[in-house]
Amino acid sequence: MNQNLFSTKFINYVGNNNKNIKTFYIAVLYTIVCVLGIFIAFYPTIISRFALMQTDPGDTRLNNYFLEHSFQLFINKEYVGDLWSPAFFYPYKNVLAFSENLFGSAPIYWLFRLFLSADFAFQIWMIAACILCFASFAFLMRRYKVSHLLSALGAFLFAFSMPRINQIGHQQLLPQFFTPLAFLIGWEFFLQPTRKKIALFLLLTYLQVLAGIYLGWFLLFSLPIFFAIAYKLAPASVRANLLSYCRGDYKAIITITLVWAATMFLTLLPYLEAKSALGERSYSEVDTMLPRISSWFAVSSGSLWAPLLSWVSKSLPMEGEHRMFAGVIIFFLIVVSVYTLFKSHNLLTVQRALLAKVCFFVFIALFFLSLRLPFGISLWRIIYEFVPGASVIRAVTRIWSIAYFYLLVAGILCFDSLLQSTLIIKGRLFKLVIVSIFCLIGISEQFIFNLPQYAKAPLLKETTEISSLMKQDCNVAYLSSNLEKPISVASIINQLTAMWAGIEANVPVVNGYSSAPPPNYGGMGESLKISQLLNWLSFFSKNISGNLCVISPKLLVQKDNFIASSALQKNATLSSNFISYRIKLPIEQIFQQEIKVFEYPRKMGINLQKKVPIILRNTSNFLWSNKGEKPTNLSYRWIGIDSQGKLTNIEGNRTQLPFDVSPGESVAINAVITAPTIPGEYTLILTMVQETVAWFSEKQSSYPKIDVTVTSDS
């Protein structure tokens, strides 16, 4: 008996030991595949020991800024920014809603940021986001009992395929790890609905929206298509079970859905307000980034497929957004899916066949709904007009992020079923060889040479220098630039450097960069003159006080009255490469003008209109803006005694300036003058007027006065 007991214990020990060994090898498999993906996607970062940042100092630094903004809110009680109003484009509110917010993935960054610098934490965050995408998709496949090797392949393609690597510079497309989890729970709810499952499903969809607006919107857009196809293809018993549950627990379903919808609405409300302020994107802008057939074959110049496919993208607009090719492995999975689902569907279990077929049809639907045919024909025009949120989705080519997800689910399930069948492929070793070959092909073809990157050190050094100037008695700051082209890489870098210096110094900055500038701000990346700067600040409040620090890389030469009026303090602060001028706020406006009239109207008939050529010169100390709530226009007044003996003071019409006129600048316009309706002797006064603020003629004694006789002749 003791011998039998010993034998039993020995067998259990060996069994457990074998199980542990198997678990170890499985963990090694996933680790190797994931590490390969990390290296393929981030080898410039890794090889440089994190001295290089991927990919460019534009959107990369912007996304890093958004994460740092949320971190400062989390740990810094004195932080000058608010949740939806980071301290750039100051003092405009709600500027975070002009772009992504990354709230859903920010806690990962916070964890690393507690111990690392902002740039280093961001690099780790990017890698961690991809690892989580890999893990979530692998978890999904294992729930469907897919082999470990194919689960690892699917997870690799989901997290590290060429389209995602090409978009590393748009880091908001990296944190897609909630999508597989939401899909898993959503499918389980469809098959066996419960209150807990619908609540968890909606929570995960909300978290995906919170992690990335683009990723979340595409997920939400695809789900009605997914469930509609699933309901159409599902067996009658599944449909009956679903309907029965909905009828029996409809109150809970409605309550949970309303809570989800209300939470989603409150989260997206700032975006709705931003859309109202900025306007929606025109369809012509969206049209440039609708996928063409060629988009699905477009690759970057560093791809292994570039020698064969580089010609495809030559005619594509915004070519960088059209790189949707993910390798021949994708087309292999399409072929396998078609063959398995329509020729050998008996190889799949009923539930697996249903899921694979639904996912494959969703992929087909997304492909055709987003496809742009010649002559601009596309079903997306209907979606743009009628689907909520579609009008603000500019880069529709990013639909690959959800389309490939559904295709990978269908393809991996079908490939796994094909390999499990002894009728099609016999021999365990032979199957292993086949899978290994396809894994090697699928992984290796994702490699891209010469991934873009930039050195962090020079920008960090410059930011620190500017930040040190902002810390010296600055209440608000602006980094001036000598760049003439508003939209250029250099101008964008300048704006982002100012934003980063501001967040380091905890000083709000007027500079800013986002998907669009606020109304009345000027062109994106445009360097403002001091007068434009003060005009921008005056749009919001006269109560902004303290020191405005204007930081310039060299001595400012202004053609306005600031230096003469001592508004620009002489005790500027210098650093190695920059000068910080301090302007005391608020500044009292000086209403001065020079008006040259070339043709004086001496006699006019009643109600007669006359165009008078005039040259205006701005000799005041603020910008004459032709837009906003308080524009500056040319106007006139008729003062005199009419034929009835009454003293008159008639306010004339406005002539709008053709563009903003800075102090010291001039503009030629034709003023349209309309004569009074009653004859008489009048004095015509030509003057500028800042609406709701002041008439210039009431602030200075020098202005054109023209004696005009108005007759009854019309």
Side-chain angles (χ1 to χ4, degrees), residues 184-369:
L184 173 65
I185 303 303
W187 181 246
E188 289 184 357
F189 171 80
F190 180 79
L191 296 177
Q192 295 179 332
T194 65
R195 190 180 298 180
K196 181 179 179 180
K197 288 176 183 177
I198 190 173
L200 183 56
F201 166 67
L202 293 177
L203 173 62
L204 289 168
T205 59
Y206 172 75
L207 290 175
Q208 184 58 81
V209 171
L210 211 58
I213 299 296
Y214 259 91
L215 297 173
W217 188 89
F218 282 129
L219 173 63
L220 293 178
F221 173 71
S222 71
L223 286 174
I225 302 172
F226 173 78
F227 285 119
I229 295 174
Y231 188 82
K232 179 68 175 177
L233 298 180
S237 59
V238 174
R239 296 200 300 268
N241 184 46
L242 181 63
L243 289 175
S244 175
Y245 170 76
C246 291
R247 292 192 191 101
D249 202 21
Y250 71 92
K251 291 183 179 179
I253 294 174
I254 292 174
T255 301
I256 293 170
T257 304
L258 286 177
V259 170
W260 172 84
T263 306
M264 189 72 78
F265 175 77
L266 291 174
T267 302
L268 298 179
L269 182 59
Y271 287 94
L272 298 176
E273 294 172 350
K275 179 184 175 182
S276 176
L278 301 177
E280 60 187 25
R281 299 186 182 279
S282 65
Y283 184 76
S284 60
E285 184 180 0
V286 175
D287 182 71
T288 62
M289 282 182 274
L290 285 177
R292 283 72 165 161
I293 291 290
S294 56
S295 303
W296 295 90
F297 296 89
V299 297
S300 65
S301 59
S303 169
L304 297 174
W305 290 102
L308 291 176
L309 297 175
S310 59
W311 60 273
V312 170
S313 58
K314 289 183 178 179
S315 61
L316 291 172
M318 302 289 289
E319 182 268 336
E321 287 287 353
H322 285 265
R323 297 169 184 170
M324 301 171 67
F325 184 68
V328 295
I329 189 67
I330 292 297
F331 293 92
F332 170 77
L333 291 176
I334 292 175
V335 171
V336 167
S337 298
V338 171
Y339 173 80
T340 308
L341 292 173
F342 303 104
K343 292 291 185 180
S344 302
H345 56 84
N346 58 313
L347 299 178
L348 295 91
T349 63
V350 175
Q351 284 196 7
R352 181 177 278 201
L354 175 62
L355 178 58
K357 187 173 289 188
V358 171
C359 288
F360 186 75
F361 281 142
V362 173
F363 168 75
I364 297 299
L366 294 174
F367 175 83
F368 282 107
L369 286 173

Side-chain angles (χ1 to χ4, degrees), residues 640-649 678-682:
I641 300 176
D642 60 25
S643 59
Q644 300 175 1
K646 293 181 179 180
L647 184 65
T648 61
N649 188 342
I678 300 175
E681 297 295 327
Y682 295 89

Side-chain angles (χ1 to χ4, degrees), residues 16 86 141 440 702:
N16 291 334
M141 290 296 95
L440 289 174
S702 175

Side-chain angles (χ1 to χ4, degrees), residues 421-646:
S421 172
T422 56
L423 298 176
I424 305 299
I425 303 175
K426 298 181 180 180
R428 186 175 180 181
L429 181 60
F430 184 53
K431 293 178 182 180
L432 182 61
V433 171
I434 290 177
V435 175
S436 299
I437 290 173
F438 279 104
C439 284
L440 289 174
I441 293 173
I443 291 173
S444 61
E445 67 177 339
Q446 306 306 320
F447 190 85
I448 299 175
F449 292 96
N450 302 318
L451 287 176
Q453 74 281 315
Y454 68 93
K456 298 188 300 181
L459 287 174
L460 292 174
K461 181 179 178 181
E462 183 179 69
T463 300
T464 301
E465 182 179 351
I466 296 170
S467 175
S468 65
L469 288 174
M470 291 184 182
K471 292 176 182 178
Q472 299 183 41
D473 202 21
C474 297
N475 300 103
V476 59
Y478 181 76
L479 177 61
S480 181
S481 170
N482 299 300
L483 300 168
E484 296 181 355
K485 294 183 179 180
I487 303 179
S488 66
V489 174
S491 64
I492 291 171
I493 292 173
N494 184 73
Q495 300 299 319
L496 285 162
T497 297
M499 291 164 60
W500 270 104
I503 205 170
E504 287 185 12
N506 200 27
V507 172
V509 296
V510 180
N511 299 84
Y513 171 66
S514 190
S515 61
N520 304 317
Y521 180 81
M524 181 59 71
E526 182 179 352
S527 183
L528 305 178
K529 296 180 180 178
I530 295 180
S531 57
Q532 293 173 309
L533 196 57
L534 296 174
N535 188 68
W536 164 256
L537 293 172
S538 70
F539 278 148
F540 302 95
S541 174
K542 294 291 185 182
N543 298 322
I544 299 176
S545 59
N547 287 326
L548 165 64
C549 293
V550 180
I551 301 172
S552 175
K554 64 179 183 179
L555 288 172
L556 286 173
V557 179
Q558 294 290 334
K559 297 179 180 180
D560 54 31
N561 300 333
F562 280 95
I563 296 177
S565 64
S566 299
L568 197 58
Q569 295 182 12
K570 301 297 178 67
N571 56 334
T573 305
L574 281 73
S575 66
S576 300
N577 302 291
F578 295 90
I579 302 174
S580 176
Y581 297 91
R582 290 192 298 277
I583 302 174
K584 197 71 176 177
L585 298 176
I587 290 181
E588 182 179 355
Q589 288 181 308
I590 300 174
F591 295 88
Q592 291 183 347
Q593 61 188 356
E594 284 185 8
I595 301 178
K596 293 183 179 179
V597 185
F598 292 93
E599 295 180 12
Y600 291 94
R602 296 297 186 183
K603 186 176 182 180
M604 295 180 67
I606 58 172
N607 285 329
L608 182 69
Q609 283 192 343
K610 183 176 180 60
K611 289 185 177 180
V612 179
I614 291 175
I615 291 182
L616 304 171
R617 184 170 182 267
N618 184 353
T619 56
S620 60
N621 67 344
F622 63 93
L623 179 78
W624 292 355
S625 177
N626 65 351
K627 52 187 175 292
E629 297 179 357
K630 302 174 183 179
T632 302
N633 299 309
L634 175 67
S635 188
Y636 56 91
R637 279 177 166 169
W638 293 101
I639 298 176
I641 300 176
D642 60 25
S643 59
Q644 300 175 1
K646 293 181 179 180

Side-chain angles (χ1 to χ4, degrees), residues 55-65 169-171 454 459 489 492-493 496 499-500 513:
T55 58
D56 64 77
D59 284 352
T60 296
R61 296 174 81 201
L62 180 65
N63 283 308
N64 192 179
Y65 180 94
H170 296 122
Q171 289 82 4
Y454 68 93
L459 287 174
V489 174
I492 291 171
I493 292 173
L496 285 162
M499 291 164 60
W500 270 104
Y513 171 66

